[in-house]
Amino acid sequence: MGNTQKKAMITGITGQDGGYLAKFLLSKGYRVIGLFRRGATDTFEKLKEHGIFEQIEMVGFELMEFSNICRLMKAYKPDEFYNLAAQSFVAASWEEPIYTLQADATGVANILEAIREFSPKTKFYQASTSEMFGKVQAIPQNETTPFYPRSPYGCAKLYAHWLTVNYRESFGIFACSGILFNHESPMRGKEFVTRKITDHFAKLHCGLTNKPLELGNLNAKRDWGFAGDYVEGMWMMLQQDHPDTYVLSSEETHPIRDFVTIAGKYAGFDITWEGEGSQEIGVDKNSNKVVVKVNPKFFRPAEVDILLGDSSKAHSRLNWKRKVSYEQLCEMMVKTDIERYKKLR
Ligand code: F7E
């Protein structure tokens, strides 16, 4: 392949999306440079589980260190740059609003400035989010729906989104913003609700705990898809003739409670719901045991009640389609977690 091999640089390489995207780009013959934060502990488990760790050029890097990103951009001049690094846990953003702002907003300004200065031909992908719609102004949400973020995370991401659009319009940089709705997988962090649920049910299934799963707001509705499908959409955006903004979503919305019921089914529990609000419980009909209860500590200061995306633009312009359904995603996550615990025994 020699000189024609494309170079892709990915921040957030150790996260859920970083792993799936790297795997996809490697399969397309890319040279993948993974940027990771140096730390005392090794954070490469996901890349190792994907079996791709050895194929990625891992480079230690700090998004807050502008000199770092400038040097990297100058040295590599990547064909494509995917910014997947972020403080991405919405609930934590009320505890760490300033850090969230630095990582999720200033970090993007750092990258765009470095591209502008040292590698203006680099195509840039920004991981934008449906959290920007927050208190939704229309249902479903598409690229033209007004934004109304409901968390410091959503506010920081909104700045990054507009800066991406602005650098596209101001300097002609090929900068794309992907407004991705929730995307999950067996590689999802356990602080996010879907994986928290599947991991706990796998433990209950394997007899590794007998405690009920404790959750917050069961009424919130989310539009969940499979992360593996969504990373392909990121790449497709950078292969177009012109940079643009696209929504990627499953176009279905389900309450958290529904995901719990289905995940329970795949773990062997037949859950019925009793009570309301913070008194609500999920009981397994087979054993008559309480397997889910509400703990108000997981309620958020402001909630995003419903997200439902309309991806018609991505379907028609990118020819992007999700392959994994909501039920298949839930089944895949529960089964993988059960297998993981079985291996440990
Ligand atoms: O919460 C409710 C919670 O933390 C989903 C990130 O990737 O997607 C993700 O953000 C819903 C919320 O994801 C618990 O109140 C109830 O309504 O899984 P989550 P998120 O906040 O939607 C977007 C697109 C991003 O961009 C973000 O980076 O579930 N919920 N009980 C709970 N949530 C959590 N985490 N834990 C609970 O116990």
Short mmCIF file of all heavy atoms in Angstrom, two decimals, residues 81-85 103-113 115-116 122-129 132 147 156-179 237-238 242-246:
data_model
loop_
_atom_site.label_atom_id
_atom_site.label_comp_id
_atom_site.label_asym_id
_atom_site.label_seq_id
_atom_site.Cartn_x
_atom_site.Cartn_y
_atom_site.Cartn_z
N PHE A 81 -9.16 12.82 11.11
CA PHE A 81 -9.00 12.96 12.56
C PHE A 81 -10.38 12.81 13.20
O PHE A 81 -11.30 13.56 12.89
CB PHE A 81 -8.42 14.35 12.89
CG PHE A 81 -7.97 14.49 14.33
CD1 PHE A 81 -6.62 14.54 14.64
CD2 PHE A 81 -8.90 14.59 15.36
CE1 PHE A 81 -6.19 14.67 15.97
CE2 PHE A 81 -8.48 14.72 16.69
CZ PHE A 81 -7.13 14.76 16.99
N TYR A 82 -10.52 11.83 14.07
CA TYR A 82 -11.79 11.57 14.75
C TYR A 82 -11.65 11.98 16.21
O TYR A 82 -10.88 11.37 16.95
CB TYR A 82 -12.15 10.09 14.67
CG TYR A 82 -12.39 9.61 13.25
CD1 TYR A 82 -11.32 9.17 12.45
CD2 TYR A 82 -13.67 9.58 12.71
CE1 TYR A 82 -11.54 8.72 11.15
CE2 TYR A 82 -13.90 9.13 11.41
CZ TYR A 82 -12.83 8.70 10.64
OH TYR A 82 -13.04 8.26 9.36
N ASN A 83 -12.41 12.99 16.62
CA ASN A 83 -12.33 13.42 18.02
C ASN A 83 -13.42 12.74 18.86
O ASN A 83 -14.55 13.22 18.95
CB ASN A 83 -12.46 14.93 18.15
CG ASN A 83 -12.35 15.33 19.61
OD1 ASN A 83 -11.59 14.73 20.39
ND2 ASN A 83 -13.14 16.30 20.04
N LEU A 84 -13.03 11.63 19.47
CA LEU A 84 -13.97 10.88 20.31
C LEU A 84 -13.66 11.05 21.79
O LEU A 84 -14.29 10.45 22.64
CB LEU A 84 -13.93 9.39 19.94
CG LEU A 84 -14.04 9.05 18.45
CD1 LEU A 84 -14.06 7.55 18.24
CD2 LEU A 84 -15.28 9.68 17.83
N ALA A 85 -12.66 11.89 22.10
CA ALA A 85 -12.30 12.10 23.51
C ALA A 85 -13.31 13.03 24.15
O ALA A 85 -13.71 14.03 23.55
CB ALA A 85 -10.91 12.71 23.61
N ALA A 103 -12.48 19.72 28.62
CA ALA A 103 -12.26 18.55 27.77
C ALA A 103 -13.17 18.58 26.54
O ALA A 103 -12.72 18.32 25.42
CB ALA A 103 -12.51 17.28 28.58
N ASP A 104 -14.46 18.91 26.74
CA ASP A 104 -15.44 18.72 25.67
C ASP A 104 -15.59 19.94 24.76
O ASP A 104 -16.11 19.82 23.66
CB ASP A 104 -16.82 18.35 26.27
CG ASP A 104 -16.77 17.06 27.08
OD1 ASP A 104 -15.67 16.52 27.27
OD2 ASP A 104 -17.82 16.58 27.52
N ALA A 105 -15.16 21.11 25.24
CA ALA A 105 -15.28 22.32 24.41
C ALA A 105 -13.90 22.88 24.05
O ALA A 105 -13.52 22.93 22.88
CB ALA A 105 -16.12 23.36 25.14
N THR A 106 -13.11 23.26 25.07
CA THR A 106 -11.78 23.81 24.78
C THR A 106 -10.92 22.80 24.01
O THR A 106 -10.16 23.17 23.11
CB THR A 106 -11.06 24.20 26.10
OG1 THR A 106 -11.94 25.00 26.86
CG2 THR A 106 -9.77 24.94 25.84
N GLY A 107 -11.07 21.53 24.36
CA GLY A 107 -10.30 20.48 23.68
C GLY A 107 -10.54 20.52 22.17
O GLY A 107 -9.62 20.34 21.37
N VAL A 108 -11.78 20.77 21.79
CA VAL A 108 -12.13 20.80 20.36
C VAL A 108 -11.54 22.04 19.69
O VAL A 108 -11.05 21.98 18.55
CB VAL A 108 -13.67 20.73 20.19
CG1 VAL A 108 -14.06 20.77 18.73
CG2 VAL A 108 -14.20 19.46 20.86
N ALA A 109 -11.55 23.15 20.42
CA ALA A 109 -10.92 24.37 19.89
C ALA A 109 -9.43 24.11 19.68
O ALA A 109 -8.85 24.53 18.66
CB ALA A 109 -11.14 25.54 20.86
N ASN A 110 -8.79 23.41 20.60
CA ASN A 110 -7.37 23.08 20.45
C ASN A 110 -7.12 22.30 19.17
O ASN A 110 -6.20 22.61 18.40
CB ASN A 110 -6.89 22.24 21.65
CG ASN A 110 -6.72 23.07 22.90
OD1 ASN A 110 -6.68 24.29 22.87
ND2 ASN A 110 -6.61 22.39 24.04
N ILE A 111 -7.94 21.29 18.94
CA ILE A 111 -7.72 20.44 17.76
C ILE A 111 -7.96 21.24 16.47
O ILE A 111 -7.16 21.20 15.54
CB ILE A 111 -8.65 19.20 17.78
CG1 ILE A 111 -8.34 18.33 19.00
CG2 ILE A 111 -8.49 18.38 16.50
CD1 ILE A 111 -9.40 17.25 19.26
N LEU A 112 -9.07 21.98 16.45
CA LEU A 112 -9.39 22.73 15.23
C LEU A 112 -8.32 23.79 14.92
O LEU A 112 -7.95 24.00 13.75
CB LEU A 112 -10.77 23.37 15.35
CG LEU A 112 -11.93 22.39 15.16
CD1 LEU A 112 -13.26 23.03 15.58
CD2 LEU A 112 -12.03 21.90 13.71
N GLU A 113 -7.80 24.42 15.96
CA GLU A 113 -6.73 25.40 15.76
C GLU A 113 -5.47 24.71 15.19
O GLU A 113 -4.80 25.26 14.30
CB GLU A 113 -6.39 26.10 17.08
CG GLU A 113 -7.15 27.39 17.28
CD GLU A 113 -6.90 28.39 16.14
OE1 GLU A 113 -5.77 28.88 15.99
OE2 GLU A 113 -7.84 28.68 15.38
N ILE A 115 -5.36 21.98 13.45
CA ILE A 115 -5.62 21.59 12.06
C ILE A 115 -5.46 22.82 11.16
O ILE A 115 -4.78 22.78 10.14
CB ILE A 115 -7.04 20.98 11.91
CG1 ILE A 115 -7.08 19.60 12.58
CG2 ILE A 115 -7.45 20.90 10.44
CD1 ILE A 115 -8.43 18.90 12.51
N ARG A 116 -6.08 23.90 11.57
CA ARG A 116 -6.04 25.15 10.78
C ARG A 116 -4.59 25.58 10.54
O ARG A 116 -4.23 25.98 9.43
CB ARG A 116 -6.78 26.21 11.58
CG ARG A 116 -6.72 27.60 11.00
CD ARG A 116 -7.37 28.55 11.98
NE ARG A 116 -7.21 29.92 11.58
CZ ARG A 116 -7.43 30.95 12.39
NH1 ARG A 116 -7.83 30.75 13.63
NH2 ARG A 116 -7.25 32.18 11.96
N THR A 122 -6.52 18.02 6.66
CA THR A 122 -7.04 16.93 7.50
C THR A 122 -8.55 17.05 7.61
O THR A 122 -9.08 18.12 7.90
CB THR A 122 -6.41 17.00 8.91
OG1 THR A 122 -5.02 16.71 8.79
CG2 THR A 122 -7.05 16.01 9.87
N LYS A 123 -9.24 15.92 7.38
CA LYS A 123 -10.70 15.91 7.56
C LYS A 123 -10.99 15.62 9.02
O LYS A 123 -10.40 14.70 9.61
CB LYS A 123 -11.33 14.84 6.68
CG LYS A 123 -11.21 15.14 5.20
CD LYS A 123 -11.87 14.05 4.40
CE LYS A 123 -11.85 14.39 2.92
NZ LYS A 123 -12.51 13.33 2.14
N PHE A 124 -11.92 16.37 9.59
CA PHE A 124 -12.16 16.32 11.03
C PHE A 124 -13.58 15.83 11.33
O PHE A 124 -14.55 16.31 10.74
CB PHE A 124 -11.96 17.72 11.61
CG PHE A 124 -12.29 17.84 13.08
CD1 PHE A 124 -11.48 17.26 14.04
CD2 PHE A 124 -13.42 18.55 13.50
CE1 PHE A 124 -11.78 17.38 15.41
CE2 PHE A 124 -13.73 18.68 14.85
CZ PHE A 124 -12.90 18.08 15.80
N TYR A 125 -13.66 14.88 12.26
CA TYR A 125 -14.97 14.42 12.74
C TYR A 125 -15.14 14.80 14.20
O TYR A 125 -14.29 14.45 15.03
CB TYR A 125 -15.11 12.89 12.60
CG TYR A 125 -16.40 12.39 13.24
CD1 TYR A 125 -17.60 12.42 12.53
CD2 TYR A 125 -16.42 11.95 14.56
CE1 TYR A 125 -18.79 12.03 13.13
CE2 TYR A 125 -17.61 11.56 15.16
CZ TYR A 125 -18.78 11.59 14.44
OH TYR A 125 -19.97 11.21 15.04
N GLN A 126 -16.21 15.50 14.52
CA GLN A 126 -16.52 15.84 15.91
C GLN A 126 -17.68 15.00 16.41
O GLN A 126 -18.75 14.95 15.78
CB GLN A 126 -16.84 17.33 16.05
CG GLN A 126 -17.44 17.75 17.39
CD GLN A 126 -16.57 17.42 18.61
OE1 GLN A 126 -15.38 17.09 18.48
NE2 GLN A 126 -17.14 17.49 19.78
N ALA A 127 -17.47 14.34 17.56
CA ALA A 127 -18.52 13.53 18.18
C ALA A 127 -19.51 14.43 18.90
O ALA A 127 -19.37 14.73 20.08
CB ALA A 127 -17.89 12.54 19.16
N SER A 128 -20.50 14.88 18.17
CA SER A 128 -21.59 15.65 18.78
C SER A 128 -22.66 14.68 19.26
O SER A 128 -22.57 13.48 19.03
CB SER A 128 -22.14 16.66 17.79
OG SER A 128 -21.17 17.65 17.52
N THR A 129 -23.67 15.21 19.92
CA THR A 129 -24.56 14.32 20.66
C THR A 129 -26.01 14.80 20.71
O THR A 129 -26.28 16.01 20.70
CB THR A 129 -24.04 14.21 22.11
OG1 THR A 129 -25.09 13.72 22.97
CG2 THR A 129 -23.59 15.54 22.69
N MET A 132 -27.51 17.58 23.03
CA MET A 132 -27.65 19.00 22.66
C MET A 132 -29.13 19.36 22.48
O MET A 132 -29.52 20.51 22.62
CB MET A 132 -26.88 19.31 21.37
CG MET A 132 -25.39 19.00 21.51
SD MET A 132 -24.36 19.52 20.12
CE MET A 132 -25.20 18.87 18.70
N PHE A 147 -31.65 23.58 19.48
CA PHE A 147 -31.02 22.91 20.62
C PHE A 147 -31.49 23.52 21.95
O PHE A 147 -31.85 24.70 22.01
CB PHE A 147 -29.49 23.04 20.52
CG PHE A 147 -28.92 22.40 19.28
CD1 PHE A 147 -28.31 23.17 18.29
CD2 PHE A 147 -28.98 21.03 19.10
CE1 PHE A 147 -27.79 22.58 17.14
CE2 PHE A 147 -28.45 20.43 17.96
CZ PHE A 147 -27.85 21.21 16.98
N ALA A 156 -21.40 22.12 26.88
CA ALA A 156 -20.03 22.07 26.36
C ALA A 156 -20.02 21.49 24.94
O ALA A 156 -19.34 22.00 24.04
CB ALA A 156 -19.14 21.25 27.28
N LYS A 157 -20.82 20.45 24.74
CA LYS A 157 -20.86 19.79 23.42
C LYS A 157 -21.48 20.72 22.37
O LYS A 157 -21.15 20.64 21.19
CB LYS A 157 -21.66 18.48 23.51
CG LYS A 157 -20.87 17.33 24.12
CD LYS A 157 -19.87 16.76 23.10
CE LYS A 157 -19.23 15.49 23.57
NZ LYS A 157 -18.31 14.91 22.57
N LEU A 158 -22.38 21.57 22.82
CA LEU A 158 -23.02 22.50 21.88
C LEU A 158 -22.00 23.52 21.36
O LEU A 158 -21.98 23.83 20.17
CB LEU A 158 -24.20 23.20 22.56
CG LEU A 158 -25.13 23.98 21.65
CD1 LEU A 158 -25.60 23.14 20.47
CD2 LEU A 158 -26.34 24.47 22.44
N TYR A 159 -21.14 24.01 22.24
CA TYR A 159 -20.07 24.91 21.80
C TYR A 159 -19.20 24.20 20.76
O TYR A 159 -18.89 24.75 19.69
CB TYR A 159 -19.21 25.35 23.00
CG TYR A 159 -17.93 26.05 22.59
CD1 TYR A 159 -17.92 27.41 22.35
CD2 TYR A 159 -16.75 25.32 22.44
CE1 TYR A 159 -16.74 28.05 21.94
CE2 TYR A 159 -15.58 25.95 22.03
CZ TYR A 159 -15.58 27.30 21.79
OH TYR A 159 -14.42 27.93 21.38
N ALA A 160 -18.82 22.97 21.07
CA ALA A 160 -17.93 22.22 20.16
C ALA A 160 -18.60 22.00 18.81
O ALA A 160 -17.95 22.08 17.76
CB ALA A 160 -17.56 20.89 20.80
N HIS A 161 -19.90 21.73 18.84
CA HIS A 161 -20.63 21.53 17.59
C HIS A 161 -20.58 22.80 16.73
O HIS A 161 -20.23 22.76 15.55
CB HIS A 161 -22.09 21.15 17.90
CG HIS A 161 -23.00 21.29 16.72
ND1 HIS A 161 -22.97 20.43 15.64
CD2 HIS A 161 -23.96 22.23 16.42
CE1 HIS A 161 -23.87 20.82 14.74
NE2 HIS A 161 -24.47 21.90 15.19
N TRP A 162 -20.91 23.92 17.35
CA TRP A 162 -20.95 25.18 16.57
C TRP A 162 -19.55 25.60 16.12
O TRP A 162 -19.39 26.19 15.05
CB TRP A 162 -21.63 26.29 17.37
CG TRP A 162 -23.12 26.20 17.31
CD1 TRP A 162 -23.98 26.05 18.36
CD2 TRP A 162 -23.96 26.23 16.14
NE1 TRP A 162 -25.29 25.99 17.92
CE2 TRP A 162 -25.31 26.10 16.56
CE3 TRP A 162 -23.72 26.36 14.76
CZ2 TRP A 162 -26.40 26.09 15.67
CZ3 TRP A 162 -24.79 26.35 13.88
CH2 TRP A 162 -26.11 26.23 14.33
N LEU A 163 -18.56 25.29 16.93
CA LEU A 163 -17.19 25.63 16.51
C LEU A 163 -16.78 24.80 15.28
O LEU A 163 -16.13 25.30 14.36
CB LEU A 163 -16.19 25.41 17.65
CG LEU A 163 -14.88 26.17 17.45
CD1 LEU A 163 -15.09 27.67 17.65
CD2 LEU A 163 -13.79 25.67 18.40
N THR A 164 -17.21 23.56 15.27
CA THR A 164 -16.94 22.69 14.12
C THR A 164 -17.58 23.27 12.87
O THR A 164 -16.95 23.39 11.81
CB THR A 164 -17.47 21.26 14.41
OG1 THR A 164 -16.85 20.77 15.59
CG2 THR A 164 -17.21 20.32 13.24
N VAL A 165 -18.85 23.67 13.00
CA VAL A 165 -19.56 24.29 11.87
C VAL A 165 -18.85 25.58 11.48
O VAL A 165 -18.63 25.87 10.29
CB VAL A 165 -21.04 24.58 12.26
CG1 VAL A 165 -21.75 25.37 11.16
CG2 VAL A 165 -21.78 23.28 12.56
N ASN A 166 -18.45 26.36 12.49
CA ASN A 166 -17.82 27.65 12.21
C ASN A 166 -16.48 27.51 11.50
O ASN A 166 -16.17 28.28 10.58
CB ASN A 166 -17.66 28.44 13.51
CG ASN A 166 -17.05 29.78 13.26
OD1 ASN A 166 -15.86 29.99 13.47
ND2 ASN A 166 -17.86 30.72 12.75
N TYR A 167 -15.66 26.54 11.88
CA TYR A 167 -14.35 26.37 11.22
C TYR A 167 -14.53 25.84 9.80
O TYR A 167 -13.71 26.11 8.93
CB TYR A 167 -13.43 25.46 12.06
CG TYR A 167 -12.61 26.27 13.06
CD1 TYR A 167 -13.24 27.16 13.92
CD2 TYR A 167 -11.22 26.17 13.11
CE1 TYR A 167 -12.51 27.91 14.82
CE2 TYR A 167 -10.49 26.93 14.01
CZ TYR A 167 -11.14 27.79 14.86
OH TYR A 167 -10.41 28.56 15.74
N ARG A 168 -15.62 25.14 9.58
CA ARG A 168 -15.96 24.69 8.23
C ARG A 168 -16.28 25.92 7.38
O ARG A 168 -15.75 26.10 6.29
CB ARG A 168 -17.20 23.79 8.35
CG ARG A 168 -17.72 23.18 7.07
CD ARG A 168 -19.20 22.77 7.28
NE ARG A 168 -19.37 21.71 8.24
CZ ARG A 168 -20.55 21.41 8.82
NH1 ARG A 168 -21.66 22.07 8.50
NH2 ARG A 168 -20.64 20.44 9.69
N GLU A 169 -17.10 26.81 7.94
CA GLU A 169 -17.54 27.98 7.18
C GLU A 169 -16.47 29.07 7.11
O GLU A 169 -16.37 29.78 6.12
CB GLU A 169 -18.82 28.55 7.82
CG GLU A 169 -20.00 27.60 7.68
CD GLU A 169 -21.24 28.05 8.45
OE1 GLU A 169 -21.18 29.09 9.13
OE2 GLU A 169 -22.27 27.35 8.36
N SER A 170 -15.67 29.22 8.17
CA SER A 170 -14.68 30.30 8.21
C SER A 170 -13.42 29.97 7.42
O SER A 170 -12.88 30.83 6.73
CB SER A 170 -14.23 30.58 9.65
OG SER A 170 -15.32 30.85 10.47
N PHE A 171 -12.95 28.74 7.55
CA PHE A 171 -11.62 28.41 6.99
C PHE A 171 -11.66 27.29 5.94
O PHE A 171 -10.62 26.82 5.51
CB PHE A 171 -10.66 28.01 8.12
CG PHE A 171 -10.58 29.05 9.21
CD1 PHE A 171 -11.00 28.76 10.49
CD2 PHE A 171 -10.10 30.33 8.93
CE1 PHE A 171 -10.94 29.73 11.50
CE2 PHE A 171 -10.04 31.30 9.92
CZ PHE A 171 -10.45 31.01 11.21
N GLY A 172 -12.86 26.82 5.62
CA GLY A 172 -12.97 25.77 4.61
C GLY A 172 -12.41 24.43 5.07
O GLY A 172 -12.07 23.57 4.24
N ILE A 173 -12.31 24.25 6.37
CA ILE A 173 -11.83 22.95 6.88
C ILE A 173 -12.93 21.91 6.68
O ILE A 173 -14.11 22.20 6.86
CB ILE A 173 -11.44 23.07 8.38
CG1 ILE A 173 -10.18 23.94 8.50
CG2 ILE A 173 -11.21 21.71 9.02
CD1 ILE A 173 -9.82 24.32 9.91
N PHE A 174 -12.52 20.70 6.28
CA PHE A 174 -13.48 19.61 6.09
C PHE A 174 -13.85 19.09 7.48
O PHE A 174 -13.30 18.11 7.96
CB PHE A 174 -12.88 18.50 5.22
CG PHE A 174 -13.92 17.57 4.66
CD1 PHE A 174 -14.23 17.58 3.31
CD2 PHE A 174 -14.60 16.69 5.50
CE1 PHE A 174 -15.20 16.72 2.79
CE2 PHE A 174 -15.57 15.84 4.99
CZ PHE A 174 -15.87 15.85 3.64
N ALA A 175 -14.77 19.81 8.14
CA ALA A 175 -15.12 19.48 9.52
C ALA A 175 -16.58 19.02 9.59
O ALA A 175 -17.48 19.76 9.21
CB ALA A 175 -14.92 20.70 10.41
N CYS A 176 -16.78 17.79 10.05
CA CYS A 176 -18.12 17.22 10.13
C CYS A 176 -18.54 17.06 11.58
O CYS A 176 -17.73 16.71 12.44
CB CYS A 176 -18.17 15.83 9.50
SG CYS A 176 -18.00 15.88 7.72
N SER A 177 -19.83 17.28 11.83
CA SER A 177 -20.37 17.07 13.16
C SER A 177 -21.40 15.94 13.07
O SER A 177 -22.37 16.05 12.33
CB SER A 177 -21.02 18.35 13.66
OG SER A 177 -21.61 18.14 14.92
N GLY A 178 -21.16 14.87 13.80
CA GLY A 178 -22.10 13.76 13.84
C GLY A 178 -22.93 13.86 15.11
O GLY A 178 -22.39 13.71 16.20
N ILE A 179 -24.22 14.15 14.95
CA ILE A 179 -25.09 14.22 16.14
C ILE A 179 -25.61 12.81 16.41
O ILE A 179 -26.60 12.37 15.81
CB ILE A 179 -26.25 15.22 15.93
CG1 ILE A 179 -25.70 16.60 15.51
CG2 ILE A 179 -27.09 15.33 17.21
CD1 ILE A 179 -26.77 17.67 15.27
N MET A 237 -19.30 10.00 6.80
CA MET A 237 -19.38 11.47 6.74
C MET A 237 -18.12 12.06 6.14
O MET A 237 -18.16 13.03 5.38
CB MET A 237 -19.59 12.05 8.15
CG MET A 237 -20.95 11.76 8.72
SD MET A 237 -21.12 12.42 10.41
CE MET A 237 -22.29 11.24 11.08
N LEU A 238 -16.96 11.46 6.48
CA LEU A 238 -15.69 12.00 5.98
C LEU A 238 -15.38 11.58 4.54
O LEU A 238 -14.40 12.04 3.97
CB LEU A 238 -14.53 11.61 6.91
CG LEU A 238 -14.60 12.12 8.35
CD1 LEU A 238 -13.24 12.00 9.03
CD2 LEU A 238 -15.09 13.57 8.44
N HIS A 242 -18.53 17.00 0.43
CA HIS A 242 -18.57 18.22 1.25
C HIS A 242 -18.80 17.86 2.72
O HIS A 242 -19.54 16.93 3.00
CB HIS A 242 -19.70 19.15 0.78
CG HIS A 242 -19.58 19.51 -0.67
ND1 HIS A 242 -18.63 20.39 -1.12
CD2 HIS A 242 -20.25 19.05 -1.75
CE1 HIS A 242 -18.73 20.49 -2.45
NE2 HIS A 242 -19.70 19.69 -2.85
N PRO A 243 -18.21 18.66 3.61
CA PRO A 243 -18.44 18.42 5.04
C PRO A 243 -19.83 18.87 5.46
O PRO A 243 -20.37 19.82 4.88
CB PRO A 243 -17.37 19.29 5.71
CG PRO A 243 -17.12 20.39 4.74
CD PRO A 243 -17.33 19.82 3.36
N ASP A 244 -20.40 18.20 6.42
CA ASP A 244 -21.77 18.55 6.83
C ASP A 244 -22.05 18.01 8.23
O ASP A 244 -21.17 17.41 8.86
CB ASP A 244 -22.76 17.93 5.81
CG ASP A 244 -24.04 18.74 5.67
OD1 ASP A 244 -24.38 19.48 6.61
OD2 ASP A 244 -24.71 18.61 4.63
N THR A 245 -23.29 18.22 8.66
CA THR A 245 -23.76 17.74 9.97
C THR A 245 -24.82 16.67 9.73
O THR A 245 -25.69 16.84 8.87
CB THR A 245 -24.38 18.93 10.74
OG1 THR A 245 -23.36 19.88 11.00
CG2 THR A 245 -25.01 18.48 12.05
N TYR A 246 -24.73 15.57 10.45
CA TYR A 246 -25.68 14.47 10.27
C TYR A 246 -26.14 13.91 11.61
O TYR A 246 -25.33 13.73 12.52
CB TYR A 246 -25.04 13.31 9.50
CG TYR A 246 -24.59 13.63 8.10
CD1 TYR A 246 -23.30 14.10 7.87
CD2 TYR A 246 -25.44 13.45 7.01
CE1 TYR A 246 -22.86 14.39 6.59
CE2 TYR A 246 -25.02 13.74 5.72
CZ TYR A 246 -23.73 14.21 5.52
OH TYR A 246 -23.30 14.50 4.25
#
